[in-house]
Amino acid sequence: MRIYVKFYAKIRDEIGIDHMFLDMGNNPSRLIEVIREIDRRMNKKIIEEYYVRRRLLISINDTLIDIDDDILLRDGDKIDIMPLPSGG
Amino acid sequence: MRIMRNVVGQAVNLTKEEMEIYDRQIRITGFGIEGQKKLKSKRALVIGIGGLGSIIATYLTVAGVGKIILVDRDKVELTNMNRQILYNIDDVGKAKARVAAEKLRRMNPYVDVEGVVEEINEDNIDDYVKSVDIVLDGLDNFRTRLLVNDACVRYRRPFIHGAVSGFNGQVMDIIPFKGPCLRCVVPKEPQEESKVVPVIGVTSALVGSIEALEAIKLLTGIGEPLVGYFLVINGLHMRFKTFKVIRRPNCPACGKGISK
């Protein structure tokens, strides 16, 4: 199962790459598993930190999701991960 | 809280001078004198008159929205100067809402601009929201944004959300029960960013301008509003991307069972 992940803004700067392809094995993966796999690959605990603090937006196949939803990612899914700005 | 004359229902006419002031937008196909009269008959609430609010309030004023209420508890600081274009250096220490209202009245004396020095909270938000036709987000935190969103859903007022950080920003139009609300995207309050959010003034200008544009479209009924979509702006790489947003059945603000 292959997933395309794209990073935005500060998250992209912190993680150091624009996008990646993740191979998640044969079974559909939960969102939190994908997040942890990204951090494991990059050897940095970045995305999970944003996730725990609810400071990110996640889109799956161009639709924003509620990060609390128990979503299963499937082969070919495209994930966008961006920080949530709060300034005015 | 002071304010709020109800101008709805009153006949709206444009003076010869107003016709000249608004000439270039009246000429836009689909806007016309009718669009201008609609703007003049409407009331907008801008919450937060900082980087976003300065731009929003300026463009709503010069566009000729009839009544604009500005709410901000803060005073002008030197660190505001890179983006909060309604203020001059010699305004430092003065209440933003008062300075902004005074400048905007001079910019367009045909607009009734009211500045209120007050913090938005659970006790006053309903009265503000009820008294206007549209609410615009010039805030700097999600705790208050969600409070405003919930009041806009309760009283079915359109709410234009915007936020910035660095070279990045986002915009979403909320028309309660016709599309998703802010809680459909951000159901719970996130932990705030560090106290100081870095930002370059042009990002605030970009996002604030889009918010003002969306408000003008909604108030005049022209164009297609950014409802059901979430615009993400990356100024550093100059990319604009629009994501779909779905109205969530379990949304704590506008979910099933809440709509009447």
Side-chain angles (χ1 to χ4, degrees):
Chain A
M1 186 182 87
R2 206 167 190 230
I3 296 169
Y4 174 79
V5 188
K6 184 168 170 59
F7 307 104
Y8 290 74
K10 206 172 161 203
I11 290 180
R12 169 185 158 149
D13 296 343
E14 286 178 32
I15 211 154
I17 56 170
D18 177 78
H19 64 272
M20 64 165 57
F21 288 94
L22 276 184
D23 217 326
M24 296 295 294
N26 292 327
N27 298 321
S29 301
R30 292 171 57 222
L31 180 62
I32 188 63
E33 291 168 346
V34 172
I35 286 171
R36 286 179 182 147
E37 180 62 16
I38 296 166
D39 281 348
R40 197 188 64 76
R41 294 274 179 98
M42 300 312 293
N43 215 10
K44 302 173 188 171
K45 200 174 176 184
I46 293 174
I47 310 295
E48 194 174 352
E49 286 288 318
Y50 276 91
Y51 179 77
V52 168
R53 294 168 58 219
R54 313 185 68 83
R55 289 229 51 93
L56 48 64
L57 294 169
I58 296 178
S59 152
I60 298 177
N61 302 325
D62 291 331
T63 299
L64 288 179
I65 57 147
D66 178 349
I67 58 171
D68 292 328
D69 281 351
D70 192 16
I71 289 170
L72 284 178
L73 281 302
R74 295 173 192 284
D75 186 43
D77 278 348
K78 182 180 139 227
I79 308 180
D80 292 283
I81 301 179
M82 57 212 108
L84 180 65
S86 66
Chain B
M1 189 175 68
R2 297 172 289 154
I3 47 186
M4 287 151 184
R5 288 194 310 277
N6 188 340
V7 294
V8 166
Q10 288 177 7
V12 172
N13 289 306
L14 300 169
T15 65
K16 200 177 164 204
E17 191 174 51
E18 283 177 287
M19 289 291 289
E20 208 166 327
I21 290 170
Y22 307 125
D23 174 76
R24 295 302 190 270
Q25 63 201 46
I26 286 172
R27 289 170 186 268
I28 298 170
T29 306
F31 192 93
I33 293 172
E34 280 315 302
Q36 197 60 54
K37 284 182 174 177
K38 279 184 191 164
L39 277 189
K40 191 175 177 178
S41 73
K42 304 291 184 182
R43 294 157 299 175
L45 171 65
V46 185
I47 306 180
I49 319 298
L52 294 174
S54 288
I55 298 292
I56 295 165
T58 298
Y59 278 105
L60 295 185
T61 299
V62 298
V65 173
K67 165 97 185 177
I68 301 173
I69 301 163
L70 316 171
V71 187
D72 200 310
R73 64 172 179 178
D74 288 338
K75 291 176 177 165
V76 179
E77 297 175 10
L78 268 180
T79 54
N80 302 152
M81 291 298 145
N82 79 323
R83 65 199 183 283
Q84 303 189 16
I85 59 157
L86 277 174
Y87 313 116
N88 300 334
I89 297 269
D90 57 11
D91 292 322
V92 167
K94 297 177 188 167
K96 287 183 183 178
R98 284 202 197 100
V99 175
E102 191 193 322
K103 288 196 180 165
L104 293 167
R105 280 183 216 118
R106 287 208 304 273
M107 218 177 268
N108 189 349
Y110 289 98
V111 173
D112 180 7
V113 185
E114 177 160 3
V116 187
V117 184
E118 189 169 38
E119 182 178 39
I120 288 291
N121 57 40
E122 289 84 353
D123 296 328
N124 60 20
I125 185 63
D126 285 12
D127 285 342
Y128 277 112
V129 167
K130 273 192 285 187
S131 71
V132 296
D133 298 295
I134 196 163
V135 181
L136 291 106
D137 180 354
L139 287 157
D140 61 3
N141 69 85
F142 269 89
R143 188 188 64 78
T144 316
R145 283 189 175 103
L146 292 174
L147 184 75
V148 174
N149 173 77
D150 295 355
C152 288
V153 171
R154 271 197 298 282
Y155 296 104
R156 297 175 183 244
R157 296 299 193 273
F159 174 42
I160 315 293
H161 160 65
V164 291
S165 181
F167 284 89
N168 304 289
Q170 61 192 34
V171 183
M172 176 187 177
D173 292 4
I174 292 130
I175 302 182
F177 303 112
K178 291 194 174 166
C181 76
L182 189 56
R183 276 199 199 267
C184 294
V185 183
V186 184
K188 293 179 202 155
E189 185 186 339
Q191 281 184 31
E192 288 303 330
E193 283 182 282
S194 59
K195 190 77 180 167
V196 177
V197 176
V199 65
I200 184 100
V202 286
T203 310
S204 307
L206 193 53
V207 170
S209 297
I210 294 171
E211 288 189 66
L213 174 57
E214 289 303 298
I216 289 166
K217 283 160 55 185
L218 283 171
L219 292 175
T220 55
I222 64 172
E224 188 184 334
L226 192 64
V227 173
Y229 294 95
F230 196 92
L231 176 65
V232 172
I233 298 166
N234 171 350
L236 206 52
H237 299 91
M238 203 43 76
R239 300 279 191 277
F240 287 52
K241 187 166 169 63
T242 311
F243 295 94
K244 278 188 212 154
V245 185
I246 293 164
R247 204 179 141 203
R248 302 177 52 77
N250 60 343
C251 172
C254 76
K256 263 189 179 167
I258 296 168
S259 174
K260 289 169 191 161

